[in-house]
Amino acid sequence: MYTSVLQAGKVLLVKKRAILLLVAIFLAAPAMQAGAQVRLLTGKGDFSLVGSRNSTTFYCDQNDHEVVKKVTQMFAGDVQRVSGKLPLVASSDARLAENIVVIGTLGSNKLIDKWAREGKIKTAGLKGKWESYLIQLVQSPAPGVKKALVVAGSDRRGTAYGVFSISEAIGVSPWYWWADAPIVKRPEISLGVSTILSHEPSVKYRGIYVNDEDWGLLRWAKRTFDVEQGNIGPKTYARVFELLLRLKANYLCPAMHEASTAFNKIPENKVLADSFAIVMGSVHAEPLLFNNASEWDKKTMGEWDYQTNREGINRVLRERVKSNSAYENVYTLALRGIHDKAMTVNSSIQDRVKVLSSALADQRKILTDVIGKPANQIPQAFTPYKEVLDIYSNGLELPEDVTIVWPDDNYGYLKRLSNAAERKRSGRSGVYYHASYLGKPHDYLWLSSTPPALMYEELRKAYDTSADRLWLLNVGDIKSCEFPFSLFMDMAYDINRFSSETIAGYHATWLSSMFGEQYHQSFLDITKAYYLLAFSRKPEAMGWGYEWNTNKNPRERTTDTDFSFANYGEAESRLQEYGRIGAAVTGLMDKMKADQKASFYQLLYYPVKGAELMNKMHLTAQKNRWYARQQRAATNVLKDQVKLYYASLQVITNGYNSLLNGKWNHMMSMVQGVTASYFELPKLDSVNPTGPAQLNVLAEGEDVLKGQSSFHVLPSFNTHTRRSYYVDVYNTGKDALKWNLKVSDNWIVCTKSSGTTSLEDRVWISVDWSKVPVGEKLSGFVSITAAGKQEQVLVSAFNPASPSHAEVKGFFIEDNGYVSMNAAGFHRKSETDEIKMKVIPGLGYEGASVQLGDPVAPFQNPASSTVPCLEYDFYSFSAGSVDVYTYALPTFPLSTDRPLGHETAAGETRYGVSIDDGAVSQPSTSAIEYSQVWSENVLRNAAVKKSVLHISQPGKHTLKILCGDPGLVISKIVLDFGGMKRSYLGPPVTKAVLQSN
């Protein structure tokens, strides 16, 4: 067998050995736990879990919860994974050994309860808590016992979390099975133990929705892991339940699509869930745990239409509650159409409100009738997803004990959160968030690329507005979403561990806990670059086509991207950066130990290489078509490169599926989605060079647009920015091109003066500022001669006597007709006690953004002269009207608590933009979901808004970004005086630097 690895632009086939994952422990693992007080020691510690002479026995009460007995056995298995020795597991009624671990739940473990009554363990702070645990080392607690490590839970899940916190401490990652996280072998395990009483989780119910659309998890389950079931069944769910427990999660909404077998069609599933203490729920479209996509039988049950078949629907829902009420559930109140479609009510919004109100009232009555408790004692959730949000906003009255689960727009931006009145509801609120999605405007199902900084920014403001009751994450197929899965659960368990300043580095910390702290800086560099690149465009959207387009062709039709090869080095910089991190992750793969390679392949190598190859495939295909229009001889070389990138994507995907002798076979697929085509080989062009060499040149900033210019000219060289620009010397003939270059003036510097090429040479042009005269209109040229032909490229330099370098040091400055600013590079900020400006690393096109105050602060009037603001000093050589483009996160209004004043609307966000003391423009970050504006915003993760402002005269000025809706996030500002060229990211930052000459 062979695994193919792409390295240095070539596919190298290397002989594959079967990768046997040896179990291992990392001393860094405790750093990943919240408040961990159990530490793995290299020498003698407080408690010997596995020693050379002693043996430790694990005790649990046979009358304790099933999950406690199950977790005790799993913990013994974890110890065996580390040490090779399997501890004895016994009933606490048995004779106690000298060295013991006692695991149990308060009130369900006689030994723990006895020691608590005797004051030997401190359980006072544990009683009545939700999912909390106590870990305490007790000396000589009973005759014949020298040491007892006690893990006591306030409830059954608290016990499990306590046990698994020790598993992590000895080096068993929650991802030991699902991502094959390595476990270091250690013959002895010695622990340092400090008493710990854990806090209650930040969010009460924390879980995932397993999306079973038919290309990953489902195919893997039925073809590889659970062939006998031929579907996602108990064997698969058992692994999911274990993972949830190990991640301190407690809630699952199971697969809902008709491609897979409905969870409740297999009776064993719900029993299994309870044995793992997992709370079952259902997604927004499934009322009372009923999957109408695959469980509703039209022949025997009638139409799924509440207006015509109310009794039939309620009868089925009542039976579902009867069959599942013995177990722990959160019941979804809902009424949508079959299979996640809108309600079948062809009437006014007021009629829809009435129908849904009636349906929810019926469902509440079913719950109280069957369960026999008051409604406010039965956990219930309502998710106003898609069109249901409009129904809720138009007067749907929801009982206050029901948890409102606010959804994002499927692309990571929460559509609404609780207003002041809703925050007082006893049911509180929650969130339904996506790390994977199938739908308009484009799917993202293949790789996980939502920045952790964005997740934290959105989820923190949700938590601060009462979303502490239920968090649900759509993790797609689980695989490829391992990190956001972990991050989401870590935040839900302890939100206060995280901050805007540290969140961007958390992925590197997570990886370091599995592969070693020595790689932390490399992980930090790679992950930050990975998210920065994908933030502007996800790998799945690099085909640049709209999905779900029914105009003649429903499939995505790929096109050129908006990344420019002509302007600002945009496309080529992207290719270079992907190439850099691709090479870095390949180098790290070579350094990984044999037992680390399979996990590293899944968690970092494949996502980075996949994103690199997808970008290279589409951007190089675009360049190929661009070259073909120029008839460059290099066109066909690019065509071959694109085919190589396409083949390499198949190779690394096959490599993924063949890991560990095919453990994950059929899990990873290049073919994702229903209407997508981004993964297919793009359209490619060819040329047929003939005859002698033919000289052509292209100067940076030019495209192949005819009728614009009959001469070549480079962007102007500015003494305050001192950039270099290139000239391509290229051949359109078959023979080799021998060329020579001369400059008109000695201040024009070129990296090459001659060359011979069959394809093309790139010459970088710069200015020797020590030789250039002072002046605003300096000009010269570069002359290139070859094959009896001469081409000239005009060069202009801008070296004014005023302003001096010292005068504009640190200012943003006009360059080639534009000023570009990174939002985090503000010169001053004006704040109040309520509004503080916060820099958020890891967000935006420039690597960091600024949040305009806390999202829960009161609305500010952006037209006020005293409103908090950011100030940016800039120097312009132009005057008159200027187009000011602001790049902001496409966030929605936080809630309905927004002022509605004279001639103002409350339905969209606002912030202010002004220059000096001029007029204030008030753009918005929000757009109506599924509108064209919203589609563009979420694809580029930016709401780019133009404000036309005025500058009275050239010179020093100040641009202000004024707070309106607190919490809005600004990443970039560009002022266009008429010189800005077409690009996707906007021009690079133009900040003046102090020069010595």
Side-chain angles (χ1 to χ4, degrees):
M1 297 178 65
Y2 291 86
T3 297
S4 298
V5 181
L6 185 77
Q7 190 173 27
K10 299 179 180 179
V11 173
L12 303 177
L13 293 178
V14 296
K15 191 170 183 179
K16 179 193 171 194
R17 300 189 304 267
I19 304 174
L20 301 176
L21 288 190
L22 304 177
V23 285
I25 35 180
F26 280 105
L27 301 181
M32 297 297 293
Q33 302 171 63
Q37 296 296 316
V38 177
R39 308 173 307 283
L40 178 66
L41 303 178
T42 55
K44 186 177 180 181
D46 301 318
F47 187 81
S48 177
L49 198 58
V50 176
S52 59
R53 296 181 180 179
N54 72 302
S55 61
T56 301
T57 303
F58 294 177
Y59 292 91
C60 67
D61 197 313
Q62 290 306 302
N63 293 318
D64 210 327
H65 301 279
E66 183 64 27
V67 69
V68 174
K69 293 179 279 186
K70 191 183 291 284
V71 163
T72 303
Q73 294 288 348
M74 288 180 178
F75 183 39
D78 289 345
V79 171
Q80 185 180 34
R81 290 181 181 96
V82 174
S83 66
K85 301 172 185 176
L86 181 65
L88 176 66
V89 176
S91 168
S92 53
D93 291 329
R95 181 176 178 178
L96 301 180
E98 288 187 354
N99 209 57
I100 63 174
V101 176
V102 180
I103 297 167
T105 310
L106 283 185
S108 298
N109 184 295
K110 288 180 288 186
L111 195 55
I112 288 176
D113 292 344
K114 179 175 181 293
W115 290 352
R117 289 192 302 271
E118 294 171 351
K120 294 174 181 176
I121 55 176
K122 305 171 184 177
T123 60
L126 193 62
K127 293 179 180 178
K129 292 288 186 68
W130 177 262
E131 297 180 347
S132 300
Y133 59 86
L134 168 74
I135 298 177
Q136 184 179 338
L137 184 62
V138 185
Q139 305 287 344
S140 304
V145 179
K146 290 184 178 180
K147 291 183 179 181
L149 181 63
V150 178
V151 182
S154 62
D155 52 33
R156 58 180 182 161
R157 281 187 295 275
T159 307
Y161 299 157
V163 169
F164 284 137
S165 72
I166 303 176
S167 288
E168 286 192 74
I170 67 173
V172 180
S173 165
W175 293 97
Y176 82 96
W177 191 87
W178 274 98
D180 306 295
I183 306 170
V184 174
K185 278 285 191 183
R186 187 180 182 89
E188 298 183 9
I189 303 175
S190 184
L191 302 176
V193 182
S194 300
T195 299
I196 177 174
L197 177 64
S198 77
H199 55 73
E200 291 185 302
S202 298
V203 178
K204 186 170 186 177
Y205 297 108
R206 313 166 303 282
I208 60 168
Y209 160 48
V210 177
N211 205 345
D212 54 319
E213 290 156 326
D214 191 15
W215 37 77
L217 185 70
L218 177 58
R219 293 187 187 185
W220 167 79
K222 67 185 180 182
R223 298 179 185 178
T224 302
F225 184 66
D226 197 356
V227 178
E228 291 184 3
Q229 182 72 39
N231 216 296
I232 300 175
K235 185 177 179 182
T236 303
Y237 279 121
R239 287 294 183 180
V240 174
F241 295 148
E242 179 189 348
L243 178 62
L244 287 168
L245 271 189
R246 288 180 179 269
L247 289 171
K248 297 184 175 67
N250 61 8
Y251 179 63
L252 177 70
C253 291
M256 65 157 284
H257 294 289
E258 53 196 341
S260 61
T261 303
F263 183 86
N264 286 296
K265 276 191 175 181
I266 305 175
E268 183 184 346
N269 280 338
K270 61 192 175 195
V271 178
L272 187 69
D274 188 65
S275 75
F276 279 90
I278 297 300
V279 181
M280 291 306 300
S282 55
V283 293
H284 55 85
E286 301 178 306
L288 305 188
L289 309 178
F290 183 78
N291 181 340
N292 66 12
S294 58
E295 293 190 273
W296 185 260
D297 185 352
K298 182 178 177 180
K299 293 179 180 179
T300 61
M301 300 174 180
E303 294 288 341
W304 180 264
D305 187 323
Y306 211 78
Q307 291 178 299
T308 63
N309 191 21
R310 177 176 179 174
E311 291 304 316
I313 291 174
N314 286 341
R315 188 181 310 111
V316 171
L317 298 183
R318 183 177 293 272
E319 289 304 312
R320 174 52 43 83
V321 175
K322 284 181 180 179
S323 65
N324 288 55
S325 60
Y327 308 104
E328 200 173 356
N329 304 297
V330 173
Y331 292 95
T332 296
L333 303 182
L335 182 65
R336 295 190 75 210
I338 291 288
H339 198 244
D340 196 16
K341 293 181 180 178
M343 185 197 308
T344 55
V345 178
N346 298 316
S347 53
S348 67
I349 192 71
Q350 289 75 22
D351 288 337
R352 289 174 178 266
V353 170
K354 291 178 182 178
V355 171
L356 185 54
S357 297
S358 176
L360 300 191
D362 285 352
Q363 291 168 26
R364 296 256 294 176
K365 188 173 189 307
I366 289 170
L367 290 174
T368 56
D369 287 350
V370 174
I371 297 175
K373 292 182 179 179
N376 62 7
Q377 295 179 23
I378 303 170
Q380 298 158 70
F382 171 77
T383 304
Y385 184 68
K386 294 189 176 179
E387 81 288 343
V388 180
L389 180 57
D390 290 331
I391 298 173
Y392 175 77
S393 300
N394 277 275
L396 177 71
E397 293 186 6
L398 199 65
E400 76 149 25
D401 59 275
V402 176
T403 301
I404 305 176
V405 181
W406 299 113
D408 68 352
D409 63 353
N410 305 308
Y411 293 86
Y413 298 97
L414 289 161
K415 293 168 61 177
R416 212 202 112 178
L417 294 171
S418 299
N419 59 32
E422 289 162 339
R423 292 173 206 171
K424 297 176 182 178
R425 301 174 72 259
S426 61
R428 308 288 283 174
S429 68
V431 293
Y432 173 41
Y433 202 78
H434 286 76
S436 173
Y437 184 65
L438 170 74
K440 293 180 179 179
H442 202 287
D443 313 331
Y444 59 102
L445 302 158
W446 176 42
L447 302 177
S448 168
S449 60
T450 301
L454 176 61
M455 290 181 65
Y456 176 75
E457 181 271 332
E458 290 292 293
L459 293 168
R460 178 78 225 200
K461 71 185 182 185
Y463 181 81
D464 289 341
T465 52
S466 82
D468 59 7
R469 186 59 55 87
L470 188 154
W471 280 20
L472 180 66
L473 180 68
N474 184 325
V475 292
D477 292 313
I478 297 178
K479 299 296 290 176
S480 90
C481 284
E482 294 96 337
F483 173 67
F485 188 166
S486 276
L487 174 60
F488 189 86
M489 295 310 156
D490 288 346
M491 286 194 290
Y493 186 75
D494 187 359
I495 189 71
N496 291 320
R497 287 179 59 200
F498 300 89
S499 70
S500 297
E501 293 75 23
T502 61
I503 188 67
Y506 191 63
H507 197 168
T509 301
W510 185 75
L511 290 167
S512 298
S513 72
M514 285 183 267
F515 302 108
E517 287 296 322
Q518 67 270 31
Y519 301 119
H520 183 266
Q521 280 304 122
S522 295
F523 292 153
L524 193 63
D525 171 51
I526 292 167
T527 55
K528 284 187 174 182
Y530 173 81
Y531 288 117
L532 178 64
L533 290 163
F535 184 75
S536 58
R537 200 75 175 191
K538 290 182 180 293
E540 295 91 337
M542 283 303 297
W544 232 262
Y546 289 107
E547 280 193 81
W548 316 94
N549 187 334
T550 58
N551 181 17
K552 294 184 180 179
N553 189 342
R555 296 195 73 225
E556 173 188 17
R557 285 165 280 182
T558 58
T559 67
D560 284 357
T561 78
D562 283 347
F563 289 108
S564 176
F565 278 98
N567 302 315
Y568 312 127
E570 187 175 61
E572 289 181 339
S573 295
R574 186 174 180 86
L575 287 170
Q576 289 168 5
E577 185 67 353
Y578 264 121
R580 185 186 71 81
I581 63 172
V585 81
T586 299
L588 285 175
M589 173 64 87
D590 293 339
K591 294 179 181 179
M592 291 293 137
K593 299 174 183 177
D595 64 328
Q596 297 175 319
K597 287 185 180 291
S599 184
F600 185 80
Y601 195 106
Q602 298 165 58
L603 297 179
L604 193 63
Y605 178 84
Y606 184 82
V608 172
K609 294 300 290 185
E612 175 200 3
L613 291 168
M614 186 61 69
N615 274 265
K616 284 184 172 180
M617 182 176 77
H618 281 290
L619 288 173
T620 307
Q622 175 180 329
K623 191 175 183 180
N624 159 264
R625 297 187 292 267
W626 189 50
Y627 271 25
R629 293 193 292 272
Q630 302 170 55
Q631 290 296 296
R632 292 200 193 195
T635 302
N636 298 342
V637 174
L638 297 181
K639 181 179 181 180
D640 292 340
Q641 288 179 3
V642 173
K643 290 180 177 179
L644 178 60
Y645 297 140
Y646 173 77
S648 299
L649 280 166
Q650 318 311 311
V651 167
I652 65 168
T653 302
N654 291 337
Y656 190 113
N657 289 320
S658 64
L659 290 170
L660 303 171
N661 297 316
K663 175 181 177 180
W664 299 113
N665 194 23
H666 301 295
M667 177 64 80
M668 188 54 65
S669 173
M670 282 303 303
V671 181
Q672 305 257 354
V674 178
T675 69
S677 62
Y678 66 90
F679 43 76
E680 297 173 356
L681 183 68
K683 178 182 178 295
L684 298 169
D685 289 336
S686 301
V687 297
N688 184 25
T690 59
Q694 298 182 51
L695 170 67
N696 291 270
V697 301
L698 182 137
E700 183 171 350
E702 294 180 348
D703 209 325
V704 198
L705 302 176
K706 297 180 180 180
Q708 287 192 346
S709 177
S710 58
F711 54 86
H712 303 290
V713 59
L714 285 168
S716 178
F717 293 87
N718 189 320
T719 185
H720 295 292
T721 53
R722 301 201 172 186
R723 291 191 167 127
S724 297
Y725 302 105
Y726 68 81
V727 172
D728 279 349
V729 180
Y730 66 90
N731 189 5
T732 56
K734 185 176 182 181
D735 299 337
L737 178 73
K738 186 175 182 180
W739 58 270
N740 291 283
L741 179 150
K742 292 183 179 180
V743 298
S744 62
D745 299 89
N746 66 351
W747 50 266
I748 302 174
V749 180
C750 304
T751 55
K752 295 179 182 179
S753 60
S754 63
T756 301
T757 179
S758 298
L759 303 175
E760 60 189 6
D761 282 330
R762 175 158 288 185
V763 182
W764 285 94
I765 315 294
S766 59
V767 168
D768 184 341
W769 295 101
S770 66
K771 296 178 180 179
V772 70
V774 174
E776 296 183 0
K777 295 183 178 180
L778 305 173
S779 62
F781 61 85
V782 173
S783 179
I784 303 165
T785 305
K789 181 181 178 183
Q790 185 181 64
E791 292 274 8
Q792 280 193 347
V793 179
L794 302 182
V795 176
S796 60
F798 184 67
N799 190 30
S802 177
S804 68
H805 293 298
E807 287 179 288
V808 294
K809 178 188 176 184
F811 277 52
F812 295 101
I813 196 160
E814 184 181 346
D815 186 10
N816 281 281
Y818 62 85
V819 179
S820 182
M821 308 171 176
N822 59 317
F826 57 84
H827 291 93
R828 289 170 301 283
K829 58 181 179 177
S830 170
E831 300 177 318
T832 64
D833 290 341
E834 289 182 326
I835 304 296
K836 303 294 183 184
M837 304 300 182
K838 181 189 296 183
V839 174
I840 305 179
L843 272 186
Y845 292 177
E846 301 296 335
S849 297
V850 184
Q851 188 172 51
L852 307 179
D854 191 318
V856 300
F859 178 80
Q860 309 291 304
N861 180 5
S864 167
S865 60
T866 59
V867 72
C869 66
L870 300 169
E871 296 186 359
Y872 302 83
D873 295 332
F874 69 95
Y875 193 100
S876 73
F877 303 103
S878 306
S881 294
V882 57
D883 294 337
V884 180
Y885 293 90
T886 45
Y887 295 66
L889 292 191
T891 52
F892 292 84
L894 182 70
S895 76
T896 56
D897 286 344
R898 303 179 72 257
L900 180 62
H902 177 59
E903 297 178 337
T904 60
E908 62 178 9
T909 60
R910 279 190 288 159
Y911 61 98
V913 184
S914 70
I915 295 176
D916 299 329
D917 293 322
V920 176
S921 175
Q922 297 186 36
S924 176
T925 66
S926 61
I928 297 172
E929 190 178 17
Y930 297 111
S931 67
Q932 185 65 32
V933 173
W934 169 83
S935 295
E936 297 294 341
N937 288 352
V938 296
L939 285 172
R940 68 189 302 152
N941 274 310
V944 184
K945 294 300 176 73
K946 185 176 83 169
S947 302
V948 181
L949 300 176
H950 188 80
I951 294 177
S952 59
Q953 62 184 8
K956 295 181 180 179
H957 302 279
T958 298
L959 179 134
K960 296 179 181 179
I961 300 294
L962 306 125
C963 184
D965 281 83
L968 299 190
V969 179
I970 309 295
S971 63
K972 182 170 183 168
I973 309 105
V974 178
L975 286 70
D976 179 18
F977 292 92
M980 186 171 73
K981 296 289 190 74
R982 183 179 178 86
S983 68
Y984 182 68
L985 302 174
V989 172
T990 57
K991 202 162 192 177
V993 291
L994 180 62
Q995 302 295 334
S996 59
N997 56 314

